Structures are given as C-alpha cells and as structure tokens.
Amino acid sequence: MSSADRLTHLQRLEAESIHIIREVVAEFRKPVMLYSIGKDSSVMLHLARKAFAPGPLPFPLMHIDTTWKFREMIAFRDQTARDLGLDLLIHTNPDGLRDGVGPITHGSGVHTDVMKTQALKQALTRYGFDAAFGGARRDEEASRAKERVFSFRTATHQWDPRNQRPELWSIYNARIQTGESIRAFPLSNWTELDVWQYIHQEDIPVVPLYFAKPRPVIQHNGMWVMVDDDRLPIPEGAAPEMKSVRFRTLGCYPLTGAVASTATTVAEVVAEMLNSRTSERAGRAIDHDQAGSMELKKRDGYF
Amino acid sequence: MADDGRTFDAAATEAVLSGKAAERDLLRFLTCGSVDDGKSTLIGRVLYDSKLIFEDQLKTLERDSKARGNAGGALDLSLLVDGLQAEREQGITIDVAWRHFTTDRRKFIVADTPGHEQYTRNMATGASNADLAVLLVDARKGVLVQTRRHATIARLMGLRHVVVAINKMDLVGYDRATYEAIRDDFVAFAREIDLPEPVCIPVSALMGDNVVNRGDGMPWYDGPALLPFLEEVDVVQTSTQTPFRLPVQWVNRPNLDFRGYCGTLASGRVRPGDRIVVNPSGRETTVARVVDFNGDRAEAIAGESITLTLADEVDVARGDLLSPADARPQVADQMAAHIIWMGEDPMLPERSYLLKIGHTTVPAQITEIKYRLDVNTHSKLAAKHLDLNEVAFCNLSLARPVPFDPYEENRGTGGFILIDRTTHQTVGCGMISFGLRRASNIHWQALEVDKAARAHQKHQKPCVLWFTGLSGAGKSTVANLVEKRLMAMGHHSYLLDGDNVRHGLNRDLGFTAEDRVENVRRVAEVSSLFVDAGLIVLVSFISPFRAERRLAREKVAAGEFLEVFVDAPLEVCEQRDVKGLYKKARAGEIKNFTGIDSDYEPPEAPELHLRTDQAEPDELADQVIQALRARGLLRE
C-alpha cells in the first residue's frame, strides 16, 4: 500500500478536530469559542478557520479576562483579532472587579473561582450560548482523560463525571434541553508535543512568552514569577532579576511559573520539552491545591 | 520524554518536527480485561519501560504507591493509569479513560475500559474508535466467561485485530504448556465467533517480560513482545480501498459564488471529475473541486475532513451521503441490526427513539427483537425488552429512509446511536446487518376519497383530544361531557376509552411496560385512522409515558392533536378510587399500577391542563370546547 493511503498522526488529529468543530456548528443554535490566548487556543482557532474556509468563522470568540493576564497576552489577543477580523467578546466578572479580587490578595483558589469559573458562567448565561469550544486536552490531567468530546453541562453549568453520555464512532449526541449546554473539546486527543509539531508545521503564531528572552523575575510561592506590572509585591530587600526564561503554559502571571530556558524557536522549545522531566501542568499553581483538585473545579464549571 | 542516556539536540528535534518522526501514524487501541487481570499495571509498565514517565509524575507515583499502592510499598504502576477520584476510592476503573504515548515509530491512543459485565457499554464505546484490542487473560485462570464476553464485543464492534496478552506468567513459573493451552483455547473460541486470527503473547506486566523488552523469563517464546508488535502491526485502514463515502456534515455558503459540501470521508477517495450520487435522493452529478484551507487539491482520502463543490446545482443537505454512481449505499427505512443497550431504562419495542446515523437524526422504533445475544456464552435467547448492557439482534423501522452500508463492510456508515426522546441520553448503539425490503414492497394505496373530502362532508375539522392522567383523575367523566356537547352541536365524534378498548382490540395486552407501550401504540393508530375518517376523536387513556403520547401526536398532522392533561393529586385520585383499584394496588393485588408501583410522566407542554380537584367537570368540559373553538376546529 502506498504511503499516500496513510494519514500521518497530525493529519488524522486535524481531520478529527475539524469534524468536531463543524458538528457543533451544525447542531447548536449559538456556539462560542473560548479563547484563552495560549498555544492550544491558537491551534484550535487555526483548525476552526480551516473548517469553514473559504468562509469566515460562523461564531464569536470569547476571552474571560481576569485582568491578571500577561500584558503580552493581551497585546497578542488584540493583534490576532485585528489580523483575522474576528468577532471577539471580552468578559470580566464585574463583582470580582468591584471587590478587587486578585491572586495576590485573595489567593489562587478564590481568584480562579471568582475571576475564571464564575466569570465564565456569567458570560455563557448572559449571551445565551448553548455550546462553548474549549482547548482542553485529555493528556493534561487525570480527570480530563475521561472527559467526553461533547461534555454535557446542566443549566447551572455543572459537570457530572458519573453521568456522561457514551460517545461512539464520531457520531455525537447533541441533544440538550433549553438552558442546558455543552462544552466541546476539539483537541481532546492531542498531546503537548502534537500541539507544538502542528504549530511548527502550520506556522501558527503564538504569544512570544513561549520563547525565551531575558525577563524580570522574582521568587514567589516557590516559582519564578515574572514582574509584569507593579501589582506584584516585591519583598523588602529583594529585587527582580533578569533571567532568560520562557513559559510552558500561560495563565494569570502571578500564578504562572517561568522556566529557565534559552529556546527561542519552536524547534528549540520542542527540544527542551523532549529533554524535560516534568509534565506540563507542574508549573500551574491551581492543580496542586488538593488531590483531585481539577476534578472538583470542573464539576463546578471550570473549563 | 527522553530516556536516561539520550538528549535531543537541534538536529534530533528537527527530525521530530519535519523528518521521519513527523510521518508517524496513529494507532488507537483498546485494553480490556477484568479488574485483577493487571490491565492498569500493563499500561503503566508500557509507559514506565518506554521512559515515558515524567519526574513529577514519578514522584507522585512513589508517594501514592506507599500510601495506597497494592505492591507492598514498591512502585504500583497501575496508579499511573487510574483517573477520577470516585474510582480511586472504589479501587476500580469506572469509565473509559484515554492515554497517550508516542514512541519513535508511532503515536498511540489507548482507551482503557473496565472489565465488569455492567460496563459492556464502556467497552463498546472504547472499541468503536479503536483499530485493535488488547485482551488480558490471567495465566492462572485461563479463558474465562469475561474473556469470551470481551472477544464477542470486539467481534460485534468490528475490530479486525485482536491481541491476547496472557498476563501474570511470573505466577505460573513462566510455564510454556500453560501459555499454549490458553492460546489454543482462545483461538478455538475465536474461530467459533468468526473473530480474526488473534495474536497471543505471554507477558508479565509486573516483572516486565514481553511488554516492552523480551526479559529472560520466557526464552521458549519466539514471537514479538507487546509494544514492538503494536509498533509494527499494519492497521492501515482498508477504508481507502472501500468505495467513496462522504456523509455531508455542513453546507458552506459564505457568498453567492461558493457552495461547498463539507464532511469527513468515511471511506475511499475522491477526485475532481468523479461521477457521484447524492443519497437518498439518487441524483447524479460530478465533483467539480476538492477544496481545503489552502485551496484546490487533486485528491482526498478516507479520514480527511474536506469540502467538495459540485458541477450541477443539485439539492444536497446535511445528512445526505455522497457515493460513486457505480457503488451506491443501501437506502431503506427498515433494517436489521445488532443493538447494544446503554440506557438505565429498558429498551421497549415500538417505543419511539431518535436514531442518529452519520449526520441524520430520525425517529425510529425497534419493531422486533429477533433474539438476545448472551455475550458470555454466545447463545441466542428470546427477549421482550432489553436491559442495560444487553445485546440483541433486532428489526428497526425508521420514520424515513436513510442511506447506509452494512457495518461489516463500512464502520463509518453502518453504525448508529439511539437517543432517548425525553432525557436526551444516548441509550444505545447499533451495527446494521442489512436493509429490509418489506416497506418498499407494501405500496401505499392512494385513495380518491381523502381526509379532506370526508371532513368536508361532515362540515368539521377532524382532530384528536388526548386525555391523559392518573386513574381516577376524571378523564372519562370530562371526555364524556365534551362528547355530549359536541353531539349537541351536530359534530361527529368517537370516544376511545382505555377500559373499553382493553375488552376488545387490546384484550391480549397486560400491564407491563412493554404492553402499555403497545396498548397506546394501537390506540394512536386507531385515532389516526378516525381522524382520517373525518371524526373528532376523544381518547381517554392513562397513557403514562411521554414517549408514547409523542408518538400519538406524530401520527396526525400538526394542529390536529390536543393533549389534555387531566390532573389531580394522587391522594385525591386514591381517595376517589371509583373502581376500587387503588385499594387493590396498595394491597399488592394489582401489579404495575400507575402512581403506585409504575411511573406517570406528566405532560411537559399540554395544550390544556385541567385541575379536576379545583373545578367542576362541567366547567372543565366548557374549557375544552372553548379551546377547540379558539383553534377554529368547531363550526361557528
């Protein structure tokens, strides 16, 4: 059999993701794509553009802005929206804003709950979206490994891992009652390496923070944290150091640990990753709060 | 992810990104076996010996092994694979979990499914997307009932490659005769059920023999170890060799100049200029362009998600199936299929479900259970309904014809799911064996005197007034009064009463859930005939299930069906107890009595809601008449 009869793993993953994205658009009344600005979102956005070419995206993107994202992320977000002519919605939890909720004053648990989980629920309810695309991958974390591609949520956005619909072949059950919704995960079967290989193959732009550069960092909660603005408290006598660092994942800057690195290209990033000895989410503060913490957050509506 | 001795330099990385490693293909496999066959340990061993465990994961593993491992404080590799908290607490895998790993040769996605009989549905789910199954057998126990069950499900789901990992060889002293006896036993069973020739590998997941490395326990074994076999096995989809099939998923019309038909090729290949047919309409046309994000392509093959444009302006919609003109799918509204039931509530013949095949969703009923398949013994049994995890060979009837292929010939166009119309749960899956020609042989006799003519003669508009509610709620009382008023106004009507019909037409039916469904189905058919005769039909039936009332509604045209919910609290009905039935039911003399030991599902959006505990029957009958009048169904 000739090799033309065989798809590479990236071709197969790409085709499956496009299939999922088209199915959601065909079956749901009002879909939205949750855009978190990270590399997975960049890949998901690229796949969606492929799914509907030569037409435009038939849904808006939405960013839940906690007000604590890296400034470079926000600049990249706005640039991407302009370049691609995207319909981008931005939502910040007004209650959290009023109460001044932040990761430094309130801790990562409260901050994530109020500014991400609650904010997301508010936004979904406010716009009446019945399907929301997310860039989560099953290889990220144990509870995600069991998530369905079409993940069913009650009218109050709850997830019940014991009551998930079986998913057979690529036939997705899209039936919901009024008020209920689904989260759809087109990247379910991708790994971190697949994502980088695909970014390389397709030349997809990503936030420059993924590549190493001398950046001002200090030790904070046992991580190297970048001093992105003056809201980060600098302890008496300490001063930010300039270190060549990059980020494996991107979130709120005080909660995202930098890794020492000299990788300035996708190839170098992948080389470091292949040689690395820690898994991707180890740099995220929120997964370590307690055992099974991601599962608890997800039941409550976290992406 | 490097192993201990190796580091990736720029050149090696370049190879990963652009070279041979980027050409890696994907193998999806399923692991099955019971809780103590060592399935999680086997996968853990594959990951561990392939150096695919990160340092932080290893630290967690060491900590967890001491805290709750089953390896006496040593590394318990099964903990690498266990997922949700709930199952950790129970110590069993409750669902399908997906694992990923990549070697130099291939990327692997593993569906890890539990072994208990009550998880047949999970195994079927995992198998539906797998290229291959790894079936675990405990060398001390040999081929068990559950081994046969897993093999049977693998066969049903159409897996073409089965590997039997005969595990725990260390516990039988790596004995060759033990391995051979189990192998021969399994191969014989595989032939019996027509499963493709299995590959049997003796392994010890605990010690690592024949998992990734050969180990030194079994020098007598000259076959491959498990992982090297999985890296080599040729599962290139025969789907590129099967005829072209494109289920149309979405019609892309960004502007007046472009009209594209999007979908994922289920099989075959397609090029511009190919002569194709739109099914089920049967219209022929030619492929003009094969398009993707980057522009025009010379060809697309099975598995790719692409867009086609056509040479002619033929009518194509989501749900249609494109095929070559000379290799068409079957089109039928009746078919025979294997069904695996996945719902908590039993499957009842004649109940209406939604069937989704490809991108079409149609109402469908199982008209007959030909036999139930005992997945443990492979024997065929009689059945009146199907419970969770049961498998049966059934006849189905669909509301309209759909295009399909037999599942054996094409996994992409021969499988379907069944959806409960009320809860929207996925309650079953099916693999089509063949279409039934019955429907096409019974032609509809077109009659010259039609419904409109008959209704016109009676100077009225026919409709169904469907009174539903608990026994003793007052259905017959109100229905009677309504019919008397209609009679006085000169209308032609007929009242179908639950009790009366059971004396004649339905006297062969009892009160089980199956019989209740059939009871209502027959009355729905009769009321639809009476509507066709031009009558105003009053139906007074408990009709406890929403699904059957919906079926009755669908039997007549829109606007011809009024659901009248005759509502009174159970306590009130029980107090009235006109026929003394509640007393008997409470005493256990009557089984399956609605409201006592059988459910009543109240209507969600009835056209009329009558509260008989709050108003007199005469007032309520007037309300019904007013509702008919407001809808223009009565003569002025």
Side-chain angles (χ1 to χ4, degrees), chain B residues 291-307:
Chain B
V291 200
D292 70 11
F293 185 66
N294 298 314
D296 279 66
R297 297 178 43 167
E299 182 182 68
I301 64 167
E304 293 192 278
S305 292
I306 44 92
T307 301

Side-chain angles (χ1 to χ4, degrees), chain B residues 452-529:
Chain B
R454 292 186 205 100
H456 184 74
Q457 183 195 41
K458 297 179 183 69
H459 305 288
Q460 67 183 29
K461 289 179 181 160
C463 67
V464 178
L465 282 164
W466 190 283
F467 295 84
T468 172
L470 294 170
S471 176
K475 296 181 296 298
S476 296
T477 308
V478 178
N480 254 310
L481 290 171
V482 172
E483 192 174 29
K484 273 161 75 179
R485 282 169 173 64
L486 289 171
M487 176 70 90
M489 295 159 77
H491 283 287
H492 301 261
S493 61
Y494 193 83
L495 173 56
L496 288 161
D497 181 84
D499 288 342
N500 297 352
V501 170
R502 277 186 178 279
H503 285 298
L505 178 65
N506 289 355
R507 74 171 164 212
D508 56 326
L509 300 175
F511 290 88
T512 61
E514 289 91 334
D515 282 358
R516 281 171 181 266
V517 169
E518 176 61 13
N519 184 36
V520 174
R521 187 194 70 84
R522 289 185 196 173
V523 170
E525 289 289 353
V526 172
S527 53
S528 134
L529 289 174

Side-chain angles (χ1 to χ4, degrees), chain B residues 178-214:
Chain B
T178 304
Y179 159 72
E180 286 176 351
I182 295 171
R183 181 194 63 191
D184 295 348
D185 202 5
F186 187 83
V187 168
F189 180 69
R191 290 209 182 108
E192 208 177 294
I193 64 168
D194 198 21
L195 191 73
E197 189 76 15
V199 174
C200 300
I201 304 175
V203 303
S204 166
L206 190 69
M207 309 306 291
D209 301 271
N210 286 337
V211 178
V212 172
N213 309 308
R214 291 298 303 269

Side-chain angles (χ1 to χ4, degrees), chain A residues 162-182:
Chain A
R162 294 302 294 265
N163 189 27
Q164 300 198 81
R165 297 174 180 179
E167 280 179 349
L168 293 112
W169 304 290
S170 51
I171 306 178
Y172 297 101
N173 175 357
R175 298 269 150 173
I176 52 169
Q177 318 276 356
T178 310
E180 294 172 344
S181 62
I182 65 145

Side-chain angles (χ1 to χ4, degrees), chain B residues 377-394:
Chain B
T377 60
H378 215 258
S379 52
K380 297 169 181 176
L381 310 167
K384 287 208 164 153
H385 66 263
L386 285 185
D387 287 322
L388 178 63
N389 289 313
E390 289 187 338
V391 179
F393 190 60
C394 303

Side-chain angles (χ1 to χ4, degrees), chain B residues 12-49:
Chain B
T13 306
E14 193 52 35
V16 168
L17 289 171
S18 319
K20 207 158 177 294
E23 300 294 311
R24 271 190 293 240
D25 65 352
L26 175 60
L27 179 79
R28 281 196 159 90
F29 69 95
L30 156 87
T31 56
C32 37
S34 91
V35 194
D36 12 286
D37 287 347
K39 194 158 40 80
S40 297
T41 309
L42 183 74
I43 301 299
R45 170 62 67 183
V46 169
L47 300 177
Y48 187 75
D49 281 2

